[in-house]
Amino acid sequence: MRIIIISFFLILFVSSQNKAQDLLNELESIESNNIPLLPEKFLVTQKIFWGKKGLMRNFNRFKLTPENRQNELKLRKSMFRAHQILGFVTLGEMLVQGIIGSQLYKGNMDIKNAHETMGMMVNITYFTNASIPLFSPPKMFNERKGFSNIKLHKILAIVHFSSMVATNIFACKLARKIDTNYNLRKYHRAAAYTAFGSYAASMIVIKF
């Protein structure tokens, strides 16, 4: 089992290096004056900060120019490297939390504090990581039409984000109930497993 887990993380790490080339291609493309500096469509949260009249455009360093867009894409590259690292950290934490949680469900109440602490760590890294794509500078090109691994990644992101919210809601309800509510526990576990499965799947599809 340990060999399978280690191999899984190793494959994800090695394959993630291929994605760095896409950002390098974006940097090189800015040298042509015929290419728009911003894509036609990007996230609302990105438009608030990085749109033509975004908040960051009030600073001279982020005025919408070819030179500044090069710096923005370098910043985007750094942010997505952090996104990848936090992704591995969060996935590892989820795995550990699942192991602890399974023992807790078997009646080992001695690890209840460890379960709560690990849950807090998962939430911190997960929601911090989720904010990076929302507030990073937009990429250079529009998304390709049709179905792609990026679109599947976004669909899975909706699934694991919703599952994480549901997991926390059920966790809060369980913390307030001293009696054994097995239905609530089942919902909590199902939401947690869905979050882990869809999160792992989202990492796999974006890297292959």
Side-chain angles (χ1 to χ4, degrees):
M1 184 64 180
R2 291 181 180 179
I3 295 176
I4 295 175
I5 294 172
I6 293 173
S7 300
F8 173 73
F9 278 96
L10 183 61
I11 291 171
L12 285 180
F13 178 77
V14 172
S15 61
S16 66
Q17 305 308 308
N18 296 330
K19 295 300 175 181
Q21 188 61 39
D22 295 337
L23 286 171
L24 291 176
N25 293 337
E26 287 186 349
L27 289 173
E28 293 174 356
S29 67
I30 290 185
E31 295 178 359
S32 172
N33 294 328
N34 295 325
I35 297 179
L37 296 180
L38 291 172
E40 294 179 1
K41 297 180 180 180
F42 50 102
L43 296 175
V44 174
T45 49
Q46 290 177 318
K47 288 182 179 180
I48 292 174
F49 288 91
W50 302 102
K52 290 183 179 180
K53 297 182 180 180
L55 296 176
M56 301 303 294
R57 304 303 175 199
N58 294 317
F59 301 95
N60 290 330
R61 183 179 178 183
F62 297 112
K63 294 292 184 182
L64 193 56
T65 65
E67 294 77 13
N68 287 343
R69 275 296 278 156
Q70 283 186 334
N71 293 329
E72 287 177 27
L73 291 179
K74 290 177 181 178
L75 174 60
R76 175 184 170 87
K77 181 178 179 180
S78 298
M79 292 179 72
F80 273 81
R81 280 179 176 172
H83 184 61
Q84 289 178 350
I85 294 171
L86 274 177
F88 287 114
V89 172
T90 303
L91 190 62
E93 290 174 345
M94 285 180 170
L95 184 61
V96 173
Q97 179 71 325
I99 295 172
I100 295 174
S102 64
Q103 295 299 314
L104 188 63
Y105 274 83
K106 291 179 181 178
N108 186 1
M109 301 305 294
D110 293 336
I111 59 175
K112 186 175 183 296
N113 290 336
H115 182 69
E116 292 176 353
T117 301
M118 183 56 67
M120 180 179 64
M121 292 174 61
V122 170
N123 278 315
I124 291 174
T125 57
Y126 175 86
F127 288 106
T128 298
N129 202 30
S131 67
I132 292 177
L134 295 177
F135 299 104
S136 65
K139 60 185 179 181
M140 194 67 189
F141 302 114
N142 295 315
E143 272 192 27
R144 292 177 298 174
K145 294 182 178 180
F147 193 75
S148 65
N149 60 337
I150 295 178
K151 290 184 178 179
L152 179 57
H153 178 76
K154 291 180 178 180
I155 293 172
L156 289 168
I158 296 173
V159 176
H160 62 66
F161 184 87
S162 303
S163 300
M164 279 294 295
V165 172
T167 300
N168 281 281
I169 292 174
F170 290 132
C172 290
K173 290 184 177 181
L174 281 170
R176 295 173 183 174
K177 297 180 76 68
I178 306 300
D179 59 323
T180 55
N181 190 329
Y182 291 103
N183 286 332
L184 198 57
R185 289 185 181 184
K186 288 180 180 179
Y187 297 150
H188 174 69
R189 182 166 55 182
Y193 284 172
T194 302
F196 174 78
S198 55
Y199 191 77
S202 70
M203 292 184 65
I204 293 173
V205 298
I206 199 62
K207 300 185 188 309
F208 290 97

